[in-house]
Amino acid sequence: MGVDEQATDQAAKAATAPDETTTTAATSSTHKYPIAPGYRVNVRTGPGTSYRIVRTLPLGMSVPIYCQKPGERVTGPYGTSNLWCNIANGQFISDTYVYTGSDGYVAPRCD
């Protein structure tokens, strides 16, 4: 195969190969869960109210849940639980403020 033929063959393979950017984006999309209506929820650095507040979620927000871990027991609009949701790197909210449709884990346990 000559140099021109190799280039044409490589271009044809690249044109039919799946776009890695699209594939990665599709597989990394995460379901978002709504925060209880009427609540502005404090986001903390760990699974408890003694952890520092890093931000407050606005009304009507939905959040991804990357992992969950046990922590301080809290009562909120969806009951009482010690389960906390990791919504971003180093950011946690009580599961009792998130409508997940479950009283248990809906995501893997955090390390």
Side-chain angles (χ1 to χ4, degrees), residues 19 23-24 35-36 39 53 67 76 88:
D19 180 357
T23 304
T24 303
I35 298 299
Y39 287 89
I53 296 171
C67 63

Side-chain angles (χ1 to χ4, degrees), residues 86-106:
N86 174 257
I87 62 167
N89 189 22
Q91 298 184 17
F92 291 85
I93 59 174
S94 170
D95 188 64
T96 62
Y97 288 89
V98 185
Y99 183 76
T100 62
S102 171
D103 288 337
Y105 286 85
V106 296

Side-chain angles (χ1 to χ4, degrees), residues 45-72:
T45 58
T49 59
S50 63
Y51 287 89
R52 184 173 56 85
I53 296 171
V54 293
R55 64 184 170 126
T56 301
L57 299 177
L59 295 173
M61 180 89 174
S62 289
V63 295
I65 299 176
Y66 297 108
C67 63
Q68 293 173 292
K69 71 187 306 180
E72 179 185 347

Side-chain angles (χ1 to χ4, degrees), residues 1-74:
M1 199 181 277
V3 175
D4 287 338
E5 292 172 82
Q6 285 178 343
T8 303
D9 187 45
Q10 288 173 350
K13 285 180 184 174
T16 59
D19 180 357
E20 288 182 34
T21 306
T22 304
T23 304
T24 303
T27 57
S28 67
S29 59
T30 301
H31 179 75
K32 291 192 175 187
Y33 298 89
I35 298 299
Y39 287 89
R40 292 175 42 95
V41 178
N42 289 329
V43 179
R44 299 181 178 273
T45 58
T49 59
S50 63
Y51 287 89
R52 184 173 56 85
I53 296 171
V54 293
R55 64 184 170 126
T56 301
L57 299 177
L59 295 173
M61 180 89 174
S62 289
V63 295
I65 299 176
Y66 297 108
C67 63
Q68 293 173 292
K69 71 187 306 180
E72 179 185 347
R73 191 165 198 76
V74 173

